[in-house]
């Protein structure tokens, strides 16, 4: 699979975690693709920290409204029943615990559920956006990311980049598998059949606990 296919594969699996009538915030980058794979028969209310609930799909080029963009600056639409509000209200929704699920990308995640996703020392970054608030305010946190970067593991024993939040991650979904963060460590719940268990572990610095009912990721 090329990079785009890998990201779609991850996003499609993340979408299976969506539940009916849930309020969901998608981080920039790969997580935004999750909206393309909503399971049939359910309604999901997408929230964006720049002041929307009820985000719809990207518009056709001729229908782009420069005033309607998500937190990453990408053009979006608003579905019937959606609404606009100021940033104070938006972050009140997040900090008040009204977001059921957030899906975020990450630079690193470790076996304690710590996450680093906004800063590499010495590199210019725009800021952490709403990540810190989402990690502390959302009821469930899923990290959706590629398993490695240039061959180096991104799932570590300990993050060595500045943390965005500590102990906040519930589930990690990569192209190699689905990994649950537990008090005992990282539990591999599903594996992509394109990889062997040895390949997944070699691409992961943290030691993986293989679930007794290990499923097939699809």
């Amino acid at each position: 699979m090329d990079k785009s296919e890998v990201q779609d594969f991850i996003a499609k699996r993340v979408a299976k975690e969506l539940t009916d009538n849930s309020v969901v915030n998608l981080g920039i980058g790969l997580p935004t693709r999750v909206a393309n794979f909503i399971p049939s028969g359910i309604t999901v209310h997408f929230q964006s920290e720049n002041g929307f609930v009820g985000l719809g799909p990207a518009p056709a080029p001729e229908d782009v409204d420069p005033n309607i963009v998500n937190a990453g600056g990408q053009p979006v639409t608003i579905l019937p029943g959606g609404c606009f509000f100021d940033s104070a209200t938006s972050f009140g929704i997040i900090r008040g615990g009204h977001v059921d699920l957030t899906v975020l990308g990450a630079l690193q995640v470790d076996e304690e559920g710590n996450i680093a996703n906004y800063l590499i020392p010495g590199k210019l970054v725009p800021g952490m956006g709403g990540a810190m608030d989402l990690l502390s305010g959302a009821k469930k946190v899923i990290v959706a990311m590629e398993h490695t970067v240039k061959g180096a593991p991104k799932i570590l024993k300990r993050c060595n980049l500045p943390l965005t939040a500590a102990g906040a991650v519930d589930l990690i979904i990569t192209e190699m598998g689905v990994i649950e963060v537990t008090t005992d460590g990282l539990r591999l719940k599903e594996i992509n059949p394109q990889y062997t268990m040895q390949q997944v572990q070699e691409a992961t610095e943290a030691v993986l606990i293989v679930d007794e009912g290990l499923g097939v990721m699809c």
Side-chain angles (χ1 to χ4, degrees):
M1 293 187 289
D2 63 24
K3 187 177 182 68
S4 180
E5 290 172 330
V6 166
Q7 292 190 349
D8 276 346
F9 178 79
I10 297 168
K12 187 175 181 179
R13 176 57 188 83
V14 172
K16 294 181 179 180
E17 299 295 317
L18 301 177
T19 57
D20 193 28
N21 281 319
S22 56
V23 176
V24 177
N25 183 291
L26 301 177
I28 62 174
L30 190 163
T32 62
R33 296 180 179 233
V34 174
N36 298 327
F37 301 102
I38 302 173
S40 61
I42 72 169
T43 298
V44 178
H45 308 284
F46 288 110
Q47 186 262 357
S48 184
E49 57 265 37
N50 58 325
F52 305 102
V53 165
L55 291 181
E62 64 272 17
D63 296 326
V64 168
D65 183 336
N67 294 310
I68 305 178
V69 296
N70 62 21
Q74 300 166 314
V76 291
T77 54
I78 299 295
L79 299 176
C83 58
F84 307 81
F85 34 77
D86 60 22
S87 291
T89 301
S90 186
F91 278 87
I93 290 171
I94 295 169
R95 296 171 185 173
H98 303 293
V99 173
D100 297 298
L101 170 68
T102 186
V103 183
L104 299 172
L107 298 168
Q108 297 176 344
V109 183
D110 69 27
E111 61 188 10
E112 294 184 354
N114 301 324
I115 176 173
N117 80 337
Y118 81 101
L119 176 66
I120 298 176
K123 291 192 175 183
L124 182 65
V125 293
M128 66 187 68
M132 233 178 224
D133 297 271
L134 288 161
L135 286 162
S136 61
K139 295 173 184 175
K140 183 176 181 179
V141 175
I142 295 177
V143 165
M145 66 178 188
E146 294 177 54
H147 206 96
T148 61
V149 56
K150 297 180 180 179
K154 295 175 69 176
I155 304 174
L156 310 176
K157 292 181 179 179
R158 286 292 180 279
C159 293
N160 52 49
L161 293 174
L163 295 185
T164 313
V169 177
D170 298 297
L171 198 66
I172 305 164
I173 298 180
T174 76
E175 77 279 15
M176 287 188 161
V178 178
I179 302 167
E180 182 183 13
V181 180
T182 75
T183 54
D184 297 323
L186 298 180
R187 185 175 296 275
L188 184 66
K189 303 286 288 185
E190 297 178 16
I191 187 171
N192 183 339
Q194 294 186 25
Y195 300 95
T196 65
M197 185 59 233
Q198 181 179 351
Q199 287 175 315
V200 177
Q201 184 58 79
E202 286 177 350
T204 311
E205 183 186 88
V207 175
L208 296 173
I209 303 166
V210 181
D211 194 77
E212 290 182 2
L214 182 65
V216 175
M217 185 183 183
C218 59

